[in-house]
Amino acid sequence: MRTEFYSSLSQNFSQLLEDADDYNVTIKVGENQNTQEFHAHSTILRARSPYFKSALLNQWANDKKDMILFTKPNISSPVFTLIIKYIYTGVLDLTNVSSSDILELLVASDELILEELFKHVQNYLIEKEAVWLNQNLVKVLLIVSKLASCKQLQDYCYESICTDPKPFFTSKEFPILDKDNFLELVKRDDLGIEEIDLWDHLIKWGISQTPIIKQNDVKKFTDANFRDLKKTLDPFISHIRFYDISSKDFFSKIRPYRKILPSELFEDAMSYLMAETEPQYKRLPARLSINLPESKIIRRRHAVILFNWIYQMDSISKISTKNEFQLLYRGSRDGYDINTFYSKVNGQGQAIAVIKIQNSEKIIGGFNASGWNYNYNYRNSYYRNGLECDYEYDHYYGDDYYCYNNINSNNNNRNSDNNKNHFIFSFGENYEIKIGKFVSGAGLYYGQNCMLAFGDGDLTFSGGTGSCNQRSYDQPILDVNSFVVEEMEIFGIRKL
């Protein structure tokens, strides 16, 4: 029998920290009048922090009379008090700690390579300090964007801005926003703002970043003013959706700044908006505003990427810029009974299945372009808008063509659906997506023996385990043939 006495161990090490009469390390933190010295033991520092281990082995610190001295002016005394107690006892108490100090603790734990502490503090900020984060997004972004390991908090900040951009763009801190942070926002397809409003904010920011410009009235700009503003805003111009701006706004708000735009782009956009000619420049997809309910698997940026793939075959005019993911089914909530699954998803229209693979960062899934339409009674019927209707084997639905076939195999009736717009996908790191397009065979099956069956084995799942074996789609979405599911969700797609 194994017994662990971590509580008493933590208390003993806490006493060692408080009564450190045999210390051999002095750590001086803070600067100016706000400095403080902490006493510590090199063996404990070396065991708990890779940073201190490397520093002690490579003699980064000053060694004076058998005493090792570290100087950390960038870490404040209150923050290092939290760190040294965590190093010695494994205890962190953030009660009554200010939000700004918690952010500083995040930065310091990253510098000292305290990975466990770093992950905890990052999650704590998102879960417990959301109000403060949203009130200080410019400041927070400036800090966390420099931390490569802080991707989760970076994503949180960007998605918060994209969901409700107005408070961010109208804040007094906005004009000092870092260029790289702003560019990342302008590139995003899920930035929920009218394009002409984004242009207004871009001009305001550009002027504040260009010291030579002393006035905001564009009519008083000199050629030098335009030249410098163009240099400031040049990285942003190719990411503005000029073709989605009304002709009236383009004429009144874009045209006065034509000198900062490439002449070919300006003329092409003018021709499109005024004379309805076909654009010669590459036209970016319209920005999408997506209402995504709380998902255990995907984030808004995943949803935007999937929407762009759904609509890539359509003309831009068909894309609804306001959309919603409606949660129809969740495995952990509804269970993996196949009858329950079909009762939740049947007849709900176009839908996306997303799967989180166990012990992996991979997200996989498939887009059902027709919606699940499994017929329990084995009659020639289908569901449209929740109603059961008779059909022949082939029919049209909107602009899409697909066919159903009744297939009997060992008395297990299945319906196949060959909608040309079905696809399967996987997400890797940094939202990198891999798409498998339906090319031949069966696009998707409905039946009693599996929940998901895209193609003839390309993506199948029946509860618990699944498999991916390329046959009907143009490329595989996984490098392995089988997987274990941690969670699955089905979202219906709605245009608002």
Side-chain angles (χ1 to χ4, degrees):
M1 177 180 176
R2 175 178 174 174
T3 305
E4 297 177 345
F5 300 95
Y6 290 140
S7 177
S8 59
L9 180 65
S10 177
Q11 291 175 4
N12 295 150
F13 273 86
S14 179
Q15 293 170 357
L16 181 65
L17 174 63
E18 294 171 0
D19 304 323
D21 54 358
D22 59 344
Y23 66 91
N24 64 336
V25 177
T26 298
I27 305 171
K28 184 177 181 181
V29 302
E31 55 186 348
N32 301 325
Q33 304 302 314
N34 299 311
T35 61
Q36 182 177 348
E37 289 188 353
F38 292 82
H39 299 153
H41 305 81
S42 60
T43 53
I44 294 177
L45 296 178
R46 185 184 297 115
R48 295 283 283 153
S49 166
Y51 171 87
F52 283 117
K53 181 178 181 179
S54 295
L56 291 165
L57 289 175
N58 295 292
Q59 299 181 337
W60 293 349
N62 295 321
D63 195 342
K64 296 183 178 180
K65 296 181 180 180
D66 298 324
M67 182 63 59
I68 304 168
L69 176 62
F70 283 95
T71 303
K72 305 298 293 181
N74 58 316
I75 301 178
S76 68
S77 173
V79 168
F80 197 78
T81 299
L82 297 169
I83 290 174
I84 198 68
K85 185 173 183 180
Y86 163 79
I87 287 176
Y88 270 76
T89 69
V91 174
L92 177 68
D93 184 3
L94 296 178
T95 306
N96 299 323
V97 178
S98 70
S99 302
S100 57
D101 279 349
I102 296 174
L103 181 62
E104 185 185 338
L105 175 61
L106 179 75
V107 176
S109 60
D110 179 72
E111 178 182 345
L112 301 179
I113 319 179
L114 299 168
E115 293 185 7
E116 179 186 51
L117 180 61
F118 178 86
K119 291 178 181 178
H120 175 81
V121 174
Q122 182 173 218
N123 289 332
Y124 185 91
L125 281 166
I126 294 172
E127 295 171 5
K128 305 295 185 182
E129 299 290 338
V131 174
W132 182 83
L133 287 176
N134 289 331
Q135 292 172 346
N136 297 273
L137 284 168
V138 173
K139 172 186 176 182
V140 174
L141 264 179
L142 182 62
I143 293 172
V144 302
S145 62
K146 298 175 182 177
L147 306 179
S149 53
C150 206
K151 189 72 167 58
Q152 186 178 349
L153 188 52
Q154 292 172 25
D155 285 346
Y156 174 85
C157 291
Y158 284 126
E159 291 189 11
S160 295
I161 296 168
C162 290
T163 302
D164 187 16
K166 185 175 180 180
F168 176 80
F169 284 118
T170 57
S171 69
K172 63 180 181 180
E173 294 87 7
F174 169 70
I176 62 172
L177 178 65
D178 180 76
K179 173 185 175 181
D180 291 336
N181 295 151
F182 194 14
L183 183 58
E184 176 65 23
L185 279 170
V186 174
K187 288 179 179 180
R188 292 180 67 120
D189 294 333
D190 59 340
L191 181 58
I193 189 172
E194 294 293 333
E195 205 66 21
I196 192 60
D197 294 333
L198 177 59
W199 173 260
D200 289 341
H201 294 307
L202 180 62
I203 292 297
K204 177 182 176 181
W205 177 87
I207 291 174
S208 71
Q209 297 286 315
T210 311
I212 193 175
I213 301 177
K214 304 300 182 181
Q215 71 283 325
N216 294 325
D217 187 355
V218 66
K219 295 179 180 178
K220 297 179 180 179
F221 277 19
T222 64
D223 288 341
N225 292 155
F226 280 115
R227 187 167 54 251
D228 288 342
L229 184 61
K230 180 177 182 178
K231 184 178 180 180
T232 300
L233 298 184
D234 186 64
F236 298 84
I237 297 302
S238 61
H239 302 288
I240 298 296
R241 277 71 164 168
F242 291 106
Y243 300 96
D244 294 325
I245 296 173
S246 71
S247 57
K248 179 180 178 181
D249 285 335
F250 191 93
F251 185 83
S252 61
K253 295 187 175 184
I254 307 296
R255 188 179 61 87
Y257 293 94
R258 64 182 300 172
K259 290 183 179 181
I260 71 172
L261 303 179
S263 58
E264 298 85 355
L265 173 61
F266 178 81
E267 294 298 334
D268 191 53
M270 280 284 289
S271 297
Y272 171 79
L273 294 170
M274 305 300 179
E276 298 183 354
T277 60
E278 281 297 313
Q280 300 302 308
Y281 263 67
K282 179 183 178 182
R283 184 177 178 184
L284 297 173
R287 297 187 196 275
L288 297 172
S289 174
I290 294 180
N291 180 18
L292 176 68
E294 184 178 354
S295 170
K296 293 187 175 183
I297 304 176
I298 61 172
R299 306 176 71 92
R300 289 182 73 253
R301 194 168 184 181
H302 292 115
V304 168
I305 293 170
L306 290 171
F307 262 111
N308 281 331
W309 273 99
I310 290 170
Y311 293 118
Q312 69 171 340
M313 304 301 292
D314 296 338
S315 65
I316 295 296
S317 61
K318 288 186 178 181
I319 295 180
S320 171
T321 56
K322 294 184 178 181
N323 304 273
E324 179 182 37
F325 270 27
Q326 180 182 3
L327 182 64
L328 304 177
Y329 166 89
R330 175 177 288 150
S332 61
R333 181 192 70 184
D334 303 316
Y336 290 100
D337 175 75
I338 196 162
N339 290 325
T340 302
F341 171 80
Y342 277 114
S343 72
K344 296 287 185 179
V345 304
N346 230 21
Q348 297 296 324
Q350 292 183 329
I352 288 180
V354 293
I355 292 172
K356 175 71 171 66
I357 297 178
Q358 194 174 83
N359 300 323
S360 171
E361 295 301 315
K362 282 278 188 181
I363 297 171
I364 65 172
F367 170 59
N368 184 338
S370 308
W372 273 272
N373 296 284
Y374 177 55
N375 174 22
Y376 289 92
N377 298 316
Y378 308 130
R379 295 195 311 270
N380 287 341
S381 60
Y382 67 95
Y383 285 82
R384 180 185 291 175
N385 299 327
L387 299 175
E388 191 175 30
C389 312
D390 291 332
Y391 68 86
E392 298 298 330
Y393 286 118
D394 299 340
H395 72 277
Y396 284 85
Y397 181 50
D399 294 330
D400 296 328
Y401 174 78
Y402 54 94
C403 66
Y404 296 91
N405 298 304
N406 287 331
I407 300 176
N408 292 284
S409 176
N410 298 324
N411 295 321
N412 288 325
N413 185 281
R414 296 194 300 174
N415 297 330
S416 68
D417 176 350
N418 298 331
N419 190 317
K420 61 182 174 62
N421 290 328
H422 293 317
F423 65 80
I424 56 177
F425 60 86
S426 64
F427 280 102
E429 294 182 356
N430 299 320
Y431 299 94
E432 182 179 351
I433 190 171
K434 186 176 183 180
I435 294 288
K437 299 178 183 179
F438 171 47
V439 289
S440 64
L444 185 145
Y445 287 110
Y446 317 112
Q448 288 184 312
N449 58 354
C450 63
M451 295 180 178
L452 300 184
F454 283 87
D456 294 303
D458 296 75
L459 172 59
T460 62
F461 174 68
S462 56
T465 60
S467 61
C468 291
N469 296 284
Q470 183 202 0
R471 291 188 181 93
S472 302
Y473 288 73
D474 66 351
Q475 64 174 329
I477 56 173
L478 282 181
D479 296 329
V480 296
N481 293 332
S482 62
F483 57 87
V484 178
V485 170
E486 179 179 313
E487 181 66 280
M488 181 172 78
E489 295 172 335
I490 307 292
F491 293 96
I493 297 172
R494 306 287 182 266
K495 297 179 181 180
L496 302 178

